[in-house]
Amino acid sequence: MTRIYKHRLFWPAIALLALLLACTIKRPDILGISVLDGHLFGAPIDILRNSSPLLLVAVGMTLVIATRGIDLSVGATVAISGAVALTFIASSANPGSAGTAVGAVIVALGLCLILGAFNGVLVANFGIQPIVATLILMTAGRGVAMLITNGQITTVNSAPFSKLASGYVLGLPVAAIIAYGVFAVVALVVRRTALGMLLEAVGINPEASRLSGVKSRTLVFTVYVLCGLLSGLAGLIFAGNTMAADANNAGLFIELDAILAVVIGGTSLAGGKFNLAGTMIGVLIITTLSLAVTVLGVSPLVTSLFKAIVVIAVTLMMSTRLRAMLGSLRERRRYQEVGA
Amino acid sequence: MKRQTFLRTGLATLSIAAMAAMSACAGSDSSGSEGGGSGSETITIGFSQVGAESGWRAANTKDIQDTLTEENGFKLSFSDAQQKQENQIQALRSYIAQGVDVLAFSPVVETGWDAVLQEAKSANIPVILTDRAVDTTDDTLFASFIGSDFIEEGQRAGDWVVENLDKDLKVVELQGTTGSAPAIDRKEGFGKAIEGTDIEIIDSQTGDFTRAGGKQVMEGFLNSHDDIDLVFAHNDDMGLGAIEAIEAAGKKPGEDIKIVTIDAVKDGMQALVDGKINYIVECNPLLGEDLAEIAKKVVAGESVEKRIVVEDAAFTQDEAAEVLADRTY
């Protein structure tokens, strides 16, 4: 029992359950799933689907943070990806065809790969501090996206492309299948090969790991490229969700949400040990929080405050030092009682 | 070591050159405007737009840029505040520093403008508000406010609902950006119209005037209420987001759940014609003409009206089908 209690994912998991419980109390049948037009429908499915872009970004962010880095440019990459894809579709001769949609996806992901490589080169080859290196793209990226969309919100109609975000396969949302599929593949690759260990080694001590033969530069470069690519994928889902490329608002502050998800999941910002499962729980907490705001009827005026309170509660619960302090307080009281 | 120093010097030179090039562009721009401002008829006007958050805003931006052209006697400096008040204040300050003839802007939120407007007043630069008002005790701070009457818009939407739909309705409301004039006023107007009827707003949440916001909030509403009859969205884009959420929930927008919105941009009108939206109150984005006229008057020292209400139309599904082809936005 105490071992479960001490597991580092115990408290985040409790927080997630508490949020779901709060929604259930307000509305008992909220977690019900029904079948509708041959696909599953209900709040849990909405949570899975809405969490997809954030999960993709957060997976990339986890690996970057594991190498002692950080990527602030993910939100801008999300915006660029959507802008490129929809502009490509809008300017093609046949917007509704599947070929156009595939072309848009390839072009957008290709560009995001290059953006990730740009970050990677700055950090790995030129040794610029990650927070500064990625700040460049964070600031410039939305401008690039605005340039691509001409400052307008580009809207297109392309049934195949919108399937990315709103479609269903085997009754499950396509977006969720992509995101959770990517999550599974990444988790498998880093945990079943030595890759994960090498990443942690780079994060704990880059110099020592380089001296012991780890190609730390290549590794660091690769995680930034992967982070860019996953953000691009998230951007496609984001754009497909409304079929509108909004350069100002797409993925706004998603970098903060992603970092938050990583931290809630128990990965240290100081690099080293990382926990992908924890990141997933963090992502689910953040997405459920948005749903809870609507279900619980929190006033729009205090929405941010409500979210902040939940987040601080989760992080405080996870703090081992706070728990130790509370523990010693309890001990002391017991001691005093015995003494009296 | 030497090579590194050389490289650094090279990079530094390059960046200085780049900066010089950029400022040169800006320089030519401002010198042009100064020449216009002092001597000839050209009026320099600094305009700070809210952002590009919706189709309406895009149409509004385009109209202003197309009307305030050099042929019409204007030199327009345009900036996009990306929905942040501090960006807008910064833009206004830089326009004041450049010494433009007229300042114009659509305030992101209603409050917090007194300081910067006071600066404009001290510099003797008249200010024209477009589309959205500011909340200030001192109304000498701006010359004129051109825009629609948002309370009226909300009320017209409410009136149509009261007159044309069932008497007993459960309504969810998708609010605009919290604290913005259209969100506050449209809510008030709609509330006024349905007062005393059995129509009830059962839930209300902000969707930030964006499609993604409208969709996500609507999903939440659909999960927490079974009995929604009507969606009142403060703009078309949120309504369009709601349509997607309603369709995903297996219901028919416009029939199972009726939708009433405000704005009448192209995508919204198309959805109205397609029967997915039931009624749209127009919010006319074509403010360029009025802005040009008022700007000319204030520069000439003529008196102008403090409040200029822009003419708004409203459309049912049949009316929309007739006018759709002729609309410019």
Side-chain angles (χ1 to χ4, degrees):
Chain A
M1 182 61 208
T2 43
R3 276 182 62 196
I4 303 179
Y5 176 79
K6 281 194 178 145
H7 193 281
R8 57 179 159 173
L9 289 187
F10 177 74
W11 289 107
I14 288 290
L16 180 59
L17 289 178
L19 272 177
L20 290 172
L21 189 69
C23 292
T24 320
I25 290 172
K26 178 82 193 231
R27 176 126 181 126
D29 55 346
I30 187 111
L31 296 181
I33 297 177
S34 55
V35 177
L36 197 96
D37 305 334
H39 66 75
L40 297 174
F41 172 76
I45 303 295
D46 280 346
I47 292 176
L48 279 186
R49 190 161 48 81
N50 286 337
S51 65
S52 316
L54 184 58
L55 181 68
L56 287 168
V57 173
V59 165
M61 189 69 83
T62 309
L63 300 183
V64 168
I65 286 178
T67 66
R68 220 189 252 190
I70 198 146
D71 189 346
L72 297 181
S73 69
V74 288
T77 312
V78 164
I80 293 176
S81 167
V84 169
L86 291 201
T87 310
F88 181 90
I89 293 176
S91 60
S92 78
N94 190 358
S97 80
T100 312
V102 172
V105 169
I106 292 173
V107 171
L109 290 184
L111 182 64
C112 293
L113 204 72
I114 296 171
L115 294 176
F118 173 76
N119 283 335
V121 167
L122 287 183
V123 175
N125 296 57
F126 294 120
I128 297 175
Q129 293 229 6
I131 197 165
V132 177
T134 55
L135 197 62
I136 297 170
L137 192 56
M138 176 192 179
T139 329
R142 286 199 184 273
V144 173
M146 292 279 277
L147 212 62
I148 296 170
T149 58
N150 234 336
Q152 310 272 315
I153 298 180
T154 309
T155 5
V156 298
N157 283 313
S158 163
F161 188 80
S162 74
K163 285 272 182 303
L164 259 184
S166 320
Y168 290 85
V169 170
L170 302 172
L172 290 168
V174 176
I177 295 176
I178 295 174
Y180 287 83
V182 164
F183 172 82
V185 170
V186 172
L188 214 65
V189 168
V190 295
R191 285 309 175 201
R192 288 285 164 238
T193 67
L195 192 64
M197 201 191 65
L198 296 180
L199 285 175
E200 290 181 347
V202 171
I204 292 165
N205 191 333
E207 198 51 28
S209 44
R210 192 183 63 80
L211 290 174
S212 38
V214 179
K215 287 189 174 160
S216 45
R217 261 189 200 179
T218 320
L219 272 178
V220 170
F221 175 77
T222 315
V223 292
Y224 282 95
V225 172
L226 185 69
C227 193
L229 188 67
L230 293 182
S231 307
L233 199 51
L236 294 177
I237 292 176
F238 221 91
N241 192 23
T242 54
M243 289 312 283
D246 186 343
N248 278 322
N249 293 311
L252 190 64
F253 300 134
I254 202 172
E255 57 276 353
L256 299 183
D257 277 348
I259 294 169
L260 186 63
V262 173
V263 172
I264 289 179
T267 300
S268 159
L269 283 180
K273 281 203 182 315
F274 65 94
N275 190 335
L276 279 172
T279 298
M280 185 176 84
I281 294 184
V283 167
L284 287 174
I285 289 180
I286 292 170
T287 318
T288 312
L289 203 50
S290 300
L291 178 74
V293 164
T294 317
V295 173
L296 300 180
V298 179
S299 152
L301 294 174
V302 294
T303 299
S304 329
L305 184 67
F306 172 77
K307 287 185 176 176
I309 289 172
V310 173
V311 167
I312 199 147
V314 177
T315 36
L316 279 179
M317 281 193 294
M318 286 171 67
S319 152
T320 41
R321 201 176 292 172
L322 181 78
R323 285 216 302 277
M325 270 160 66
L326 288 178
S328 69
L329 210 66
R330 222 175 295 147
E331 293 270 289
R332 207 180 301 158
R333 197 171 297 157
R334 199 178 303 153
Y335 180 76
Q336 279 168 347
E337 274 167 19
V338 172
Chain B
M1 189 64 208
K2 216 167 210 173
R3 212 183 120 219
Q4 216 174 6
T5 327
F6 172 71
L7 198 73
R8 262 191 219 159
T9 324
L11 277 177
T13 322
L14 247 177
S15 51
I16 290 169
M19 265 194 264
M22 276 189 221
S23 59
C25 299
S28 70
D29 195 46
S30 66
S31 70
S33 65
E34 265 165 39
S38 53
S40 67
E41 298 284 292
T42 313
I43 297 170
T44 59
I45 181 161
F47 188 87
S48 170
Q49 181 61 286
V50 172
E53 77 279 17
S54 62
W56 189 95
R57 191 65 59 190
N60 178 242
T61 299
K62 192 171 178 301
D63 183 57
I64 286 169
Q65 285 175 333
D66 289 351
T67 315
L68 301 178
T69 54
E70 300 211 15
E71 295 93 74
N72 291 345
F74 290 96
K75 173 98 183 127
L76 175 70
S77 302
F78 184 89
S79 68
D80 179 335
Q82 314 212 324
Q83 283 159 280
K84 290 195 191 68
Q85 185 175 30
E86 66 262 34
N87 290 352
Q88 221 162 15
I89 290 178
Q90 211 167 20
L92 294 180
R93 290 225 162 97
S94 86
Y95 289 143
I96 295 172
Q98 287 168 26
V100 294
D101 297 327
V102 179
L103 272 179
F105 74 115
S106 302
V108 177
V109 291
E110 282 192 333
T111 49
W113 301 100
D114 290 33
V116 70
L117 292 183
Q118 197 65 51
E119 286 169 35
K121 194 181 173 189
S122 314
N124 273 327
I125 300 174
V127 176
I128 301 171
L129 305 175
T130 62
D131 164 43
R132 298 184 183 180
V134 298
D135 186 2
T136 173
T137 46
D138 180 5
D139 64 356
T140 61
L141 290 179
F142 61 93
S144 185
F145 165 41
I146 306 166
S148 302
D149 184 341
F150 298 135
I151 298 183
E152 168 86 24
E153 287 172 356
Q155 194 155 12
R156 283 172 82 176
D159 286 342
W160 184 83
V161 171
V162 172
E163 283 160 24
N164 292 280
L165 301 179
D166 296 337
K167 296 295 159 235
D168 181 21
L169 288 174
K170 299 253 184 290
V171 183
V172 292
E173 183 181 35
L174 296 170
Q175 293 181 38
T177 308
T178 309
S180 69
I184 296 169
D185 292 352
R186 286 172 187 169
K187 185 178 172 58
E188 187 190 329
F190 190 83
K192 227 189 259 174
I194 62 168
E195 211 173 50
T197 67
D198 287 330
I199 299 168
E200 179 198 4
I201 296 183
I202 53 172
D203 218 332
S204 180
Q205 189 67 243
T206 176
D208 253 334
F209 282 133
T210 62
R211 280 195 198 196
K215 182 172 182 183
Q216 202 179 4
V217 173
M218 194 61 208
E219 279 172 359
F221 283 161
L222 287 164
N223 282 321
S224 43
H225 306 281
D226 292 326
D227 46 0
I228 302 170
D229 301 310
L230 176 84
V231 178
F232 169 51
H234 286 185
N235 77 344
D236 284 355
D237 288 80
M238 290 193 293
L240 292 166
I243 288 176
E244 298 203 25
I246 294 169
E247 281 176 342
K251 296 189 173 162
K252 284 192 93 161
E255 287 179 27
D256 299 333
I257 296 180
K258 303 220 169 14
I259 302 178
V260 173
T261 69
I262 295 172
D263 263 5
V265 295
K266 197 154 230 151
D267 289 347
M269 290 296 274
Q270 186 61 52
L272 184 61
V273 173
D274 296 344
K276 292 176 177 179
I277 294 181
N278 301 76
Y279 190 66
I280 298 184
V281 178
E282 185 191 40
C283 181
N284 193 344
L286 307 179
L287 308 179
E289 200 109 324
D290 284 320
L291 176 59
E293 193 188 318
I294 297 295
K296 277 183 181 154
K297 276 189 183 168
V298 290
V299 169
E302 293 170 37
S303 69
V304 291
E305 273 182 64
K306 203 87 208 171
R307 178 74 174 93
I308 289 152
V309 178
V310 179
E311 205 58 40
D312 289 334
F315 304 98
T316 61
Q317 291 173 344
D318 297 336
E319 286 160 3
E322 286 168 27
V323 298
L324 185 65
D326 304 328
R327 286 174 72 82
T328 52
Y329 58 92

